[in-house]
Amino acid sequence: MHSLTLLRATLIAFLLIFLSACGGAEDQVTVNPNDPVEPEPSGLIITNANGLQTSLDEGNFTINAPGEIVANDTEITYEKLVLDENNQAKNIISDIHTLTPNTLQLSSSMTITIKIPDDYVLGGQLTIARLSGDSWSSITNSTVSQGFVSAQVDQLGSYAIEMQRTVAFSDIGPTCDANATEQSVRFVHVADMHSRFGYQEQYFSRIKAYYKKALSESPHTLFTDGGDDYEKGTVAEQISQGLASDETVKLMAFDLRVLGNHDYAWGPEKLLEFSQDDNAIVLASNTRFEGEQNKSFGGVDFAKVQVGCITLGVFGMTSVPWDELDEPIEDDPIPDFIKQFKMSWKWQQIAQSIVSQYSGDVDYMIMLSHLGKGTDVEIATNVPGIDLVLGGHTHGGEDFIELENNALVIQPEFYARGVTDLNLVFNTADKALSRYDYQHVDTRTSIEPDEETKLAIDEVMGRYAPDADTEIAISENYPSSFEVAEIAALATKHSSSINAALLNPELVQKRWTPGTVTQEDFHKAFYVERQPSNTPGFNSLYQVTVTGTDLNTMIASQPDWFVLKPEDIQVTTNYNVALFKGPALNPDLFFSSVTFNDVKPIAEAWWLLDQYARFRTTQCLHLDTDTQLNACQDVANITTWNFDDPTNPLTPDSGPSVLSYFDPENDGWGPEDTRYETTTDLNIADLTDGPSGVMAFTRHSPTEGLLITLNTAANGDFKDDGLVSDYTIVMDINWPLETNDIYRAIIQADTENYDTDDADIFASPDGGYGEATSNSGYFGDTKPGNWHRIAFVFYAAPTNGVFEIYVDGELEGVKEEGEINRRWALDKTILLFTDNNYETRPGYLNALLYAGRAMTRGEIKSMGGAQQKLSFEQPTRVLNQTIERHYQAAPAIKTNQWIEQRNKFFGSNSKSVNN
């Protein structure tokens, strides 16, 4: 072993102490601490032939010098100095390792490596630094890997690990007005948007519109994002493997954003790209990049933002990862999200260190946090100097807290459904906060979309996910979670070699409603959350191999799960069983004494459903039943009326149903009170394509109205009772201006108890259509004096009934869960524009359609808005051809990368987050 100078120095110190204890005062030896002590040779020799490779200080310091680095064999000396407060204040975090003589000239570089202390928690970027006089100089070629920092050096000297925080700078808004006594700083803050950009609601476009408006009102406005921009949103992210979300977030052009736990989902390369933002400063104060030097991580530890007269300091924190059981990993050791990115979970220590280092340089300190409300409050309470926390991660709705120390803690609405607007007013003399205003704005109702952003997002969606809203299949019913799990099992069997499945219905996140089913619907049923990061989603499907005996045990262990199995399970036969990821990787938590062989991923659940749905459609079958699709039948069950012939106004243009005046008292009110004239003669608005003949109906009493005699076959859930359960009503309607702010009856399903039964569908005072039941549902925003084509699609059922409302071909809303029951099923007739309580008003009807089946979204959309003619020709065997065409036109992006890249995500260790 090498005899180290450090040991010799310790021995001398011990002897001095011993001698002083044995002698009197006159014998004491005084040592001048400033006198240099020449270290003796330690037996380390760099040879000309082989150089030197050695490990010192129990592996905390290593030298790797190549041959021919010195002209002659040269002895060098090593000593270690324990880190003191003076160097710690200079951001040195390790002990100091000294190699002498300093005068030795090396002909090329050697590598020195220093171990990062086990208890180091403060984040920052770590480099090797060399002591020069009283200061340290960072070595730019330093690299970090697996708990060590290495650097190439060409001279001896004193070396240690230095922590350097990366700092970004930005100017927001006009420069400081020296004459102003006050200045405001405004924040438009969002968080946990989770790729909700591709939805019909246009959440991202509305948020951008609000920010633009705020900026026009307050030029010192910052647009901030609290993290989790990836996952759980549009299927475009999955098809593009993260690219669509990256593009849309950067399209928003935030000023500041922090990385959330879901933002690590797609692995190191995607995170590096996501961290590079031409507009936003990306905060990642508890993240340290340890990857290759030529790959640049854009996340910084701290930002100084000059906003007029006010200097803001901002740092950002990221929460812990989640596992394949969809649970946060909070017990030590907490792993990193992905390789190359070292995380620190000591948030409070990091916050205290940053505040201590930078508070003197800024006027107001902000933590942009993705830690959640509880942790935000704890840190802001315990770390003096934090003035504001702009939070995220909680998913508990918006929240605003002012702590006793005057720190403000904010949680915004999640899923892009709301905007937090905070306005701070500062005194420019002392930069102190004098007052603030705070408000929460609902994205869905209060903001019109920004057209530029909307068009840009539409382009992204069209490029990456042209099939996102394509009618891929038709669901005859509203499946329960258990039934969705069953369909997922059948879909898995269709695309893989499994012969059994055992699926937990609780992992179904959202059921699709009857009718049209799209890729977005499949993804909403099984949102992808790639947990652990850079592996398949926690609800992806896996295949395991078990014996028949074990399969029986598994089935008995989970009696509430859906089971797909052979009729006769042979105890000694091996079976390939489909499971969700959590049970597949953790059999001990779900099944008694069962072990798995050959565990491997199959695919994401949504993708399997997509493939299975396309297959079902090509076979002319509903997704959830073996009933033939209407598009594959030639059944005359649709009737239309256009009211163009005043002499025979109620005669249908086509179809078997009959329209008549409802007149149980036989007083002949219909022909007398109803007029059939053109829009020109009535002095009302024309249709989009010109004047048209219309029905002008009066305000009806409970014994007046329009009656449709169905003449269509019973169907759906109440078919055995002789009732029409699934049906469609479409009407072109124009309400006079005087009917504004009044409820108006539209549909009454019970034609027997008309004098006591309330109408079932109304137009609401604000222009929506629906029913004021216990869970009221009104949809749409129409205005009196305008023509609109309104479509009502019903799926009456005992427990899972639904109706849909369309305005001018676009789906406005779906009334789900329960209430659309037998009351809504039809027995031979249906009433229009009548109500037992006289909640009726006069209006104009241009056209009417009744279908003895539920029409699909595609069929409703094909009829468009109100026009002179309403006509519909049932497209026999068109849907399956459309599905094939759309699928073939999809971009050349791997749609099943979970199978093709199986070895990338899962090597021999399926649980490792670094695979």
Side-chain angles (χ1 to χ4, degrees), residues 702-717:
T703 58
E704 299 172 344
L706 300 178
L707 181 73
I708 300 176
T709 303
L710 308 180
N711 294 334
T712 56
N715 64 23
D717 288 69

Side-chain angles (χ1 to χ4, degrees), residues 542-545 584-585 596-601 902 906 910:
Y542 275 60
Q543 176 181 304
V544 303
T545 302
L585 299 185
F596 297 155
N597 297 313
D598 196 23
V599 180
K600 56 187 178 183
R902 179 179 300 157
F906 293 86
S910 61

Side-chain angles (χ1 to χ4, degrees), residues 127-142:
T127 63
I128 300 290
R130 186 176 189 275
L131 184 61
S132 301
D134 292 331
S135 61
W136 291 88
S137 301
S138 178
I139 299 175
T140 58
N141 63 38
S142 300

